[in-house]
Every structure is written in C-alpha cells, then in structure tokens.
C-alpha cells in the first residue's frame, strides 16, 4: 500500500471534486483473492479501450479533453445534426477499424473461466463482444446502429455509412486536402463516440443522412448522448446484477458521471465489495474496498497470470 500524500483536488464538469493525488488501497494479491471468489460483475469505461486507439474523454484530473455534442444540441437543429454526422462520418472510419486489446481479452477470459458473470460497459464500441464476452450490457448503446427519432426505424451503421458515402462524393478527399489544419488532429481528437474535429467549411458541404422510411433528417446513432437518459430497463437490470454480485470490478472508468457511479454506490449500500483499477483517481475511490491506481493492461496481465492454474 502506498504511503499517504497530501490530497490536491480539481473541479469536475459535474461540479464534483476529484482528487489529483491518489492513494492505493489493497494490493494485487487482494485483487486476485477477490476475483478468484467468482460472481464478479465488471463495470468498464473508456479507459479499457484506449489501447485500441480510442481516446477517452477525460484527463487525469477528470476534466474533459473535448466537449461532446449533447442530446439537446443534436435534437435542436438540422444544422447540429449535419455537424455531428459530418464529423462522425470521418471519425467512424478509424473507430470502426479498432480491434479488442488485451484488456478486453482478459475480461473475456475471466468470463470463460467462470470468474465474471456479466459486463456492464459505458462504452459504445462493441469491443467486449468482439473479444468474446457473452453477457454484456451496453449501458450507453452501440455505434453499430442508428435509429430515427421520428419513426423509430433502426439501421445498421455500416449501411448508413455507405449511404453517406454515396451522398457525399469526394468528401474524404476534401478532408485529406485540409492536411495540416485538420488531418493533424486525426489521432488526438477521435472521441469515444467516433466523433472528430472537422473544419466548418467541410461541415457546410456535407449531406446528412435521412431516414429511408419517413424521410426526416432525425437519424441518430443508437447511443446515449450527454444530457440523455439511460433506458430504465437497462438501469434496472444493471442494478439487479450488481446487487446479486460477489463483487463489482471497475475497469478504466473515472466514474465522473452518475450513469456509472450509481452502481458503485449501490454496491456499497448492499455490502457488495468494490474494486477499482484505473490509472487516475475516480469519483468512487471512497466507496472501494480495493483501489489500484495503475495502468490497466499490466495490472490485468498480472491478474490473469496469478489466476492461471
């Protein structure tokens, strides 16, 4: 266990205080003991996918690196939807190329070995399933789908991308020609929702997708935007899983927003042990019986090795 250090704090966008200095609680051996007892529910955040090339939203102090489009902005105007889809059209191509990393594979292996009963993920990238995890609740939806807010028609993101390509000939070439002003931001600015920084003049030339059934431009990725509520059925099912778990293991989440933090709070309320593995401090540190502030990949490598027969 690391020695106590002065606590420095920063103000979150959610007006919560997040410690910048971290203090571990427990050891890897304690984590091994907890996981080996089984009945585990994993709660994963954006940090589990960063090794797949998908940056997370927040820096070490919990401050957002980028401001995502909110639900109110998206539904507020056709221009906002055009801006979202133009940026997402570019970002999706890198996002869709992402593949599971060792973190996802470790979680899948723990499930196959009988230690993990379910995964609740805040991510919309589908990488847990791609790695082989079977029982996954996508708390914030999936970018693989799009839904029309007017008539409810659901379409695959792949087919939607093909339609946008046909409606916007030469758009990728114009994006590439922007070179030093836009292209240099490609790596740093792809967000966990597949969005990307894009010049205003490119956005203005983009034709946003329309629903093939009702014709409206109210097509939205089937994900929960900031400012939008997680479906109650998913929240209730997640609470049920947490309440019946042997332990809750948080991987790669700052827990800065209530959509994930509430499950840590519920676990503590009902006496379910909470373990948190992230590199930075989290909003749920005070609720955890084990907290390890370390890079996720080597920690899970060590955990997997310790659990091997």
């Amino acid at each position: 266990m690391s020695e106590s250090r002065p606590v420095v704090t920063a103000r979150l966008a959610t007006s919560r205080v997040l410690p910048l200095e971290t203090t571990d609680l427990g050891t890897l051996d304690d984590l091994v003991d907890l996981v080996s007892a089984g009945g585990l529910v994993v709660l994963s955040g954006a940090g589990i996918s960063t090794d797949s090339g998908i940056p997370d939203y927040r820096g070490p102090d919990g401050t957002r690196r980028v401001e995502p489009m909110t639900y109110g902005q998206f539904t507020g105007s056709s221009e906002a939807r055009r801006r979202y889809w133009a940026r997402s059209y570019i970002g999706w191509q890198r996002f869709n190329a992402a593949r599971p990393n060792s973190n996802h594979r470790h979680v899948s292996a723990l499930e196959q070995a009988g230690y993990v009963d379910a995964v609740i993920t805040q991510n919309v990238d589908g990488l847990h399933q791609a790695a082989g995890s079977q029982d996954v609740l996508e708390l914030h939806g999936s970018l693989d789908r799009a839904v029309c807010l007017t008539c409810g028609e659901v379409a695959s993101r792949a087919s939607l991308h093909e339609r946008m390509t046909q409606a916007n000939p030469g758009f990728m070439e114009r994006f590439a020609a922007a070179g030093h002003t836009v292209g240099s931001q490609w790596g740093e600015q792809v967000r966990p929702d597949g969005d990307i920084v894009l010049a205003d003049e490119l956005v203005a030339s983009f034709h946003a997708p329309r629903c093939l059934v009702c014709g409206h431009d109210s097509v939205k990725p089937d994900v929960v935007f900031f400012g939008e509520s997680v479906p109650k059925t998913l929240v209730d099912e997640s609470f049920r899983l947490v309440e019946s778990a042997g332990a809750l293991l948080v991987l790669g989440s700052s827990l800065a927003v209530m959509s994930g933090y509430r499950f840590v709070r519920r676990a503590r309320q009902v006496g379910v042990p909470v373990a948190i593995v992230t590199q930075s401090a989290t909003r749920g540190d005070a609720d955890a019986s084990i907290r390890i502030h370390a890079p996720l990949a080597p920690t899970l490598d060590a955990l997997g090795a310790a659990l091997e027969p």
Side-chain angles (χ1 to χ4, degrees):
M1 187 183 303
S2 61
E3 67 181 65
S4 177
R5 293 172 290 181
V7 175
V8 183
T9 61
R11 184 65 61 178
L12 285 170
T14 53
S15 296
R16 302 300 193 277
V17 172
L18 183 66
L20 288 180
E21 296 291 341
T22 59
T23 304
D24 286 356
L25 178 63
T27 65
L28 178 66
D29 287 341
D30 295 323
L31 183 63
V32 171
D33 289 343
L34 186 76
V35 173
S36 64
L40 212 66
V41 170
V42 169
L43 173 63
S44 70
I48 202 169
S49 294
T50 54
D51 287 347
S52 294
I54 303 175
D56 56 12
Y57 275 118
R58 301 177 187 274
D61 64 352
T63 303
R64 290 178 188 165
R65 295 188 179 97
V66 291
E67 286 296 326
M69 182 173 287
T70 67
Y71 182 73
Q73 290 170 332
F74 185 89
T75 58
S77 70
S78 293
E79 183 54 39
R81 291 188 286 277
R82 181 204 304 272
R83 184 168 69 254
Y84 174 84
W85 283 115
R87 292 155 60 127
S88 185
Y89 174 76
I90 299 293
W92 165 254
Q93 297 182 62
R94 173 171 174 175
F95 188 94
N96 192 43
R99 295 295 178 262
N101 61 56
S102 64
N103 301 324
H104 303 104
R105 291 190 291 272
H106 276 303
V107 172
S108 176
L110 289 173
E111 182 184 42
Q112 292 171 21
Y115 297 117
V116 169
D117 289 345
V119 177
I120 303 169
T121 184
Q122 297 172 276
N123 300 338
V124 297
D125 52 36
L127 294 180
H128 278 298
Q129 296 93 319
S133 290
Q134 298 295 312
D135 196 349
V136 181
L137 269 70
E138 296 176 311
L139 200 62
H140 295 158
S142 173
L143 273 184
D144 273 350
R145 307 179 298 270
V147 60
C148 176
L149 297 179
T150 301
C151 72
E153 176 69 10
V154 176
S156 73
R157 180 58 187 268
S159 66
L160 195 67
H161 189 81
E162 290 178 6
R163 285 166 46 201
M164 287 190 284
T165 299
Q166 294 170 3
N168 295 278
F171 191 76
M172 274 298 298
E173 290 74 12
R174 295 196 297 277
F175 168 76
H180 65 282
T181 58
V182 177
S184 64
Q185 298 174 358
W186 177 271
E188 295 85 1
Q189 295 297 325
V190 177
R191 291 90 182 271
D193 61 359
D195 197 0
I196 192 170
V197 169
L198 199 61
D200 290 343
E201 58 269 23
L202 285 173
V203 170
S205 69
F206 192 81
H207 296 282
R210 290 184 172 272
C211 177
L212 292 178
V213 174
C214 69
H216 285 87
D217 74 337
S218 51
V219 179
K220 171 184 171 290
D222 195 14
V223 300
V224 177
F225 277 39
F226 281 81
E228 187 178 5
S229 297
V230 177
K232 186 177 184 300
T233 52
L234 274 178
V235 175
D236 290 345
E237 175 64 6
S238 298
F239 275 138
R240 185 192 66 76
L241 287 171
V242 169
E243 289 166 358
S244 60
L248 178 64
L249 174 60
V250 180
L251 300 176
S253 177
S254 67
L255 301 171
V257 293
M258 184 57 74
S259 66
Y261 177 51
R262 58 184 152 190
F263 302 120
V264 171
R265 291 180 61 183
R266 179 62 63 87
R268 183 177 182 182
Q269 288 168 359
V270 299
V272 172
V274 176
I276 299 176
V277 182
T278 61
Q279 191 158 3
S280 60
T282 82
R283 186 177 172 186
D285 279 358
D287 301 291
S289 51
I290 297 173
R291 55 178 186 262
I292 298 175
H293 299 103
L296 199 54
T299 304
L300 290 181
D301 286 346
L303 174 64
L307 290 169
E308 286 181 357

